[in-house]
Amino acid sequence: MIRPRSISGMRELLPAEQITFNHYRDIVRKHFELTGALPLRTSAFELREVIAAKEEVNNSNIEKQIYGVHRLAASNNETDFALRFDLTIPMARFVAQHASKLIFPFRRYQIQPVWRGERAQSGRYREFIQCDIDIIGDQTLNLINDAELPIIIDSIFKDMNIGPFQIRMSNRKLLGGLLLNTGIPASSIANALRLIDKIEKVGQDEIRKQFFQKYKLKDKQVDLIIAYTSLRGPADEVIDKLLTLVAQSHKTNETYMIGIKELTTVSKIVYSLGLTPNSFILDLSVARGLSYYTGTVYETTLTNHPTIGSICSGGRYDNLANLYSNRKLPGVGMSIGLTRLIIHLMDQGLLQQEKPNIAPVLIIVFNPSHLGRYLSIARTLRQAGIATEIATEHAKVSQQFKYADRKGFRLAIIAGEKEFISGIYQVKDMTTRSQILVNNAKLVETIRKILAY
RNA sequence: GCGGGUGUAGCUCAGGUGGUUAGAGCGCCAGAUUGUGGCUCUGGAGGUCGUGGGUUCAAACCCCAUCAUUCGCCCCA
C-alpha cells in the first residue's frame, strides 16, 4: 500500500476550507468584473522558450524555479514544456499571439494556479492561486490605468473584511534614473533595484555595505540612495520631500524626471478617486525583483500580518510583449496571492468557519420503503433551485440527524407514514430545533421564505 | 541548491540518565435511546514508535545513514 500524501508546498483543502476559499475568490472575481475585465484562461503548460524568455529570466534568477515537463513521463527527451511561473508572462504571450483578434485596451482577469520550484515554508507554496488583473494598450496606455488598479485592489480587500492593509507604490524610472546618476552602469540597474527592494528586510546598513562593495559608490551617493528610498508616507508629503532632494542634488536625467512626474500624476488620481493614506501610500523602497517592470510598481501588505509578506503586487511593463511581438503593447497589472492570503488567515483561525456543506436541506428517510416519495420531494426542491440531499446511508433516524447536525444542514424535512397520509410534512430548523408543519403543496414556498431566497 | 528543528494511535502530544504486555486527551465505532442531532454514561476498534543498519543481555530513548516534514537562506504571491 502506498502511504497517501500530497507534495510539500502544494496545499489541498478540505471541503469546508475550499468553500471558504471560494467565497473570497468570488469576491475578487466580482470586483474584477465590475471594472469590465474579461475572463482569460491559459493552459498550465507553456513552451519552455516562452516562459524562459532569456534576458528576463537570467536577470532575476527565475530559471531555477521553473518546473520542466516531459512530453511523456516514460521518455527521456528534453523538457520543452514548462509549468507557468506566473500569469503575466502567459498573458503577454496570449495577447501578442491574438493581438489581431482582441479589442484594445484589453482588460483581462485570470484566476489560476502557478508553480514555483522552491522549498515550501510558511506563506510560500510550490503551487498557489494568483488573481491577476491587467490592462494592455495598443501602442500607448494612459497612466489613469496605473491609478485605477490600487482602487480595484482597495475595494477587494475592503470587501473581504480582513483587517487593515497598505498598498505601497513607487516608480522604477525614478529609482533607475537615480541609480544611473550615481554611476551604476545601465546593465546593473536591474540588480541594483533588486537590492533596494530588500532594504526593508535586511536593513539599511547591509544595503549600504553592498552598494560600496558591488558598485564602488561614494559615501555621498549611498547617502542619497538611502535618503530617497527612506521616503514613505502620504503621496503629497513624499513628493514634497522628493522635490527638495532633487533640488539639492545637482545631477538629474530624463528618466528620473519622468519617473517623478508619473508618480505624481498617478498618486493624485488615486487620491482624487477616494483612497486615503490609510490604505495607499508612496514607498520608494518598493522596487520589485522582476526586471520587466518599467514604471509604476506596487506592493501590498496586511498591517496586522507583516510576516505573510506581500499579498498583492504588480506594476507597469511597457515592453513585456516585445518578447513575443513587434507590436508595442504596454501593460499594467496587479496580482493577488490568494493562497498565501487566505490559507494564512484560515490557519490563524481568523476566517469564519464554514460547514462542509452546500445544500441547506436534508430529507430524512424515516421509512426506506417510501424512498420514491423522498426522491420526489428532493426533485421538487432541486427544480425550485433549493439544494437538497437525501439521507440514504444511515438506517437509524438518530444517525441521520447526527449526520445533518455534523454537516451543518439548515433544515430537515421529516415525513413518515403519518405525514404521507395527511400530506403535511414536518420541517425542522436544525439550529433552533423547532419544527413546523407544512402542507406539501406549500413546501417550496415555505422553505424559500425560511432560507430568504 | 544550502543551513537548523522535528518524526510515537486519525489529530494534539506524554513517555527523567536505555529495563517486561507503549499511554492520555480529542476524534472514530457501538450501546444506553427501534419517529428526532449537539450533553452524559458504558464499552470497543485503532501502533512495523518514519525507514534501514549499528551499539547493548535489553532501544521509542544512544550512534550512523536515509526518507519525510518544518523553519530560515536564495527568490517571491
Side-chain angles (χ1 to χ4, degrees):
Chain A
M1 191 168 71
I2 297 164
R3 187 168 69 88
R5 57 203 194 276
S6 50
I7 295 171
S8 158
M10 301 197 174
R11 176 74 178 258
E12 295 173 330
L13 300 178
L14 291 167
E17 299 170 322
Q18 190 67 51
I19 289 170
T20 303
F21 188 90
N22 290 354
H23 167 72
Y24 289 95
R25 185 202 58 201
D26 290 345
I27 290 177
V28 174
R29 182 166 45 207
K30 179 181 83 186
H31 286 276
F32 282 173
E33 291 194 345
L34 275 172
T35 72
L38 303 173
L40 178 67
R41 195 202 75 89
T42 64
S43 51
F45 294 2
E46 289 282 343
L47 286 168
R48 196 177 154 84
E49 60 176 3
V50 165
I51 287 198
K54 307 238 174 348
E55 353 19 337
E56 303 304 325
V57 168
N58 291 341
N59 234 335
S60 53
N61 235 346
I62 287 173
E63 182 140 50
K64 57 182 186 186
Q65 292 192 42
I66 292 174
Y67 285 107
V69 180
H70 289 277
R71 283 187 183 245
L72 293 169
S75 84
N76 291 319
N77 292 341
E78 295 266 307
T79 61
D80 47 4
F81 296 161
L83 288 172
R84 61 169 169 248
F85 169 92
D86 68 6
L87 298 176
T88 312
I89 296 276
M91 182 271 309
R93 184 225 86 210
F94 184 93
V95 171
Q97 183 180 342
H98 299 288
S100 62
K101 286 165 257 164
L102 299 175
I103 300 166
F104 290 93
F106 177 61
R107 182 189 290 244
R108 83 88 175 79
Y109 75 92
Q110 194 168 349
I111 300 176
Q112 288 192 268
V114 303
W115 293 268
R116 294 190 186 177
E118 52 186 334
R119 297 298 294 268
Q121 51 183 273
S122 74
R124 291 180 39 187
Y125 299 88
R126 286 167 160 169
E127 176 184 70
F128 58 95
I129 306 285
Q130 284 195 320
C131 312
D132 274 39
I133 181 162
D134 289 82
I135 307 140
I136 311 296
D138 188 5
Q139 308 307 319
T140 61
L141 183 68
N142 197 307
L143 277 179
I144 289 171
N145 294 291
D146 298 51
E148 206 184 354
L149 286 169
I151 314 263
I152 298 167
I153 297 303
D154 181 81
S155 66
I156 289 171
F157 288 137
K158 282 204 174 114
D159 200 359
M160 283 184 175
N161 195 23
I162 49 175
F165 57 91
Q166 205 158 46
I167 303 168
R168 290 136 59 211
M169 187 176 87
S170 182
N171 189 293
R172 276 169 70 106
K173 289 196 184 82
L174 164 61
L175 295 169
L178 173 71
L179 294 172
L180 274 176
N181 276 352
T182 64
I184 294 174
S187 57
S188 300
I189 295 295
N191 281 325
L193 283 171
R194 203 163 301 124
L195 200 54
I196 287 182
D197 198 51
K198 286 182 196 160
I199 286 186
E200 197 175 24
K201 194 165 184 181
V202 302
Q204 287 186 1
D205 291 344
E206 178 63 26
I207 298 297
R208 192 176 276 275
K209 208 167 81 189
Q210 298 229 15
F211 269 110
F212 283 131
Q213 279 175 4
K214 287 191 179 163
Y215 305 111
K216 314 271 183 261
L217 297 192
K218 300 195 177 92
D219 270 330
K220 252 176 97 176
Q221 294 172 320
V222 178
D223 286 344
L224 195 64
I225 292 172
I226 299 289
Y228 268 86
T229 54
S230 305
L231 294 178
R232 176 176 185 162
D236 45 353
E237 288 175 25
V238 167
I239 287 166
D240 274 354
K241 288 181 194 160
L242 194 53
L243 293 174
T244 313
L245 277 175
V246 172
Q248 282 168 1
S249 64
H250 304 293
K251 279 171 117 179
T252 57
N253 65 36
E254 201 190 347
T255 318
Y256 167 88
M257 294 311 290
I258 293 173
I260 294 180
K261 206 174 151 194
E262 287 184 1
L263 201 59
T264 310
T265 308
V266 173
S267 52
K268 264 189 188 151
I269 301 171
V270 172
Y271 286 134
S272 75
L273 288 172
L275 290 208
T276 69
N278 277 335
S279 62
F280 178 82
I281 58 167
L282 296 189
D283 181 345
L284 299 198
S285 71
V286 171
R288 309 286 291 124
L290 293 170
S291 51
Y292 52 65
Y293 293 116
T294 53
T296 307
V297 282
Y298 320 91
E299 197 80 65
T300 311
T301 43
L302 276 186
T303 311
N304 296 336
H305 305 274
T307 52
I308 317 181
S310 179
I311 53 166
C312 172
S313 62
R316 162 77 78 141
Y317 41 90
D318 280 335
N319 309 315
L320 184 54
N322 293 8
L323 294 167
Y324 316 107
S325 167
N326 289 327
R327 195 159 165 181
K328 193 168 191 306
L329 301 167
V332 62
M334 288 186 89
S335 175
I336 299 173
L338 198 63
T339 302
R340 167 178 284 185
L341 174 65
I342 298 306
I343 290 184
H344 176 86
L345 295 177
M346 204 144 64
D347 288 349
Q348 299 276 306
L350 297 174
L351 300 183
Q352 199 199 327
Q353 279 279 315
E354 301 288 337
K355 289 285 189 178
N357 188 20
I358 292 282
V361 177
L362 179 71
I363 296 172
I364 301 294
V365 178
F366 254 113
N367 185 342
S369 63
H370 288 304
L371 197 58
R373 298 217 196 212
Y374 298 123
L375 286 165
S376 154
I377 298 171
R379 186 158 166 260
T380 305
L381 292 175
R382 288 167 181 167
Q383 281 177 343
I386 299 163
T388 304
E389 252 187 76
I390 308 172
T392 54
E393 300 308 313
H394 299 282
K396 290 184 166 183
V397 170
S398 67
Q399 289 174 319
Q400 296 181 31
F401 275 100
K402 194 171 182 189
Y403 171 74
D405 184 50
R406 289 186 54 197
K407 217 176 155 187
F409 286 92
R410 289 274 322 277
L411 300 174
I413 294 178
I414 302 151
E417 254 359 290
K418 229 165 56 184
E419 287 79 4
F420 286 128
I421 290 166
S422 65
I424 295 172
Y425 303 153
Q426 302 185 49
V427 174
K428 175 166 184 164
D429 185 319
M430 293 300 293
T431 322
T432 64
R433 315 190 84 171
S434 63
Q435 291 184 198
I436 55 171
L437 299 176
V438 181
N439 191 302
N440 63 9
K442 297 212 163 176
L443 195 61
V444 167
E445 187 190 328
T446 308
I447 288 178
R448 271 201 181 128
K449 216 173 275 171
I450 295 172
L451 298 175
Y453 276 13

